[in-house]
Amino acid sequence: MPGAPGQCDAGGKASFTDVPANADYAQVVPWAVENKITSGTGGGNFSPAATCTRGQIVTFLYRAMGQ
C-alpha cells in the first residue's frame, strides 16, 4: 500500500507525551498523524495503552483507505 509504514519515512515527529521515543510503535505514530488517520486522544496524548472502540477502528480504516 503506498504510503504505508515502512514504505516511506514520516519525516516529522508527532509530539505526544505518552509515546516514548524507544517504543516499538514510535515511528508509526507520526506516519498515522501525517496521513490524517489519527490525531491522538487530546491533551498531547496518544494513549497507546487504551483499548480502541469499534468506532475508532472503523474510522482508522476508513481514513487509511483515503476516504
Side-chain angles (χ1 to χ4, degrees), residues 9-59:
D9 182 21
K13 295 284 184 193
S15 57
F16 295 108
T17 58
D18 57 353
V19 177
N22 64 344
D24 292 337
Y25 51 86
Q27 293 180 16
V28 183
V29 172
W31 173 87
V33 171
E34 289 178 13
N35 285 281
K36 298 183 182 358
I37 294 170
T38 186
S39 60
T41 57
N45 294 314
F46 185 72
S47 302
T51 302
C52 287
T53 66
R54 284 181 281 188
Q56 289 170 319
I57 294 168
V58 168
T59 300

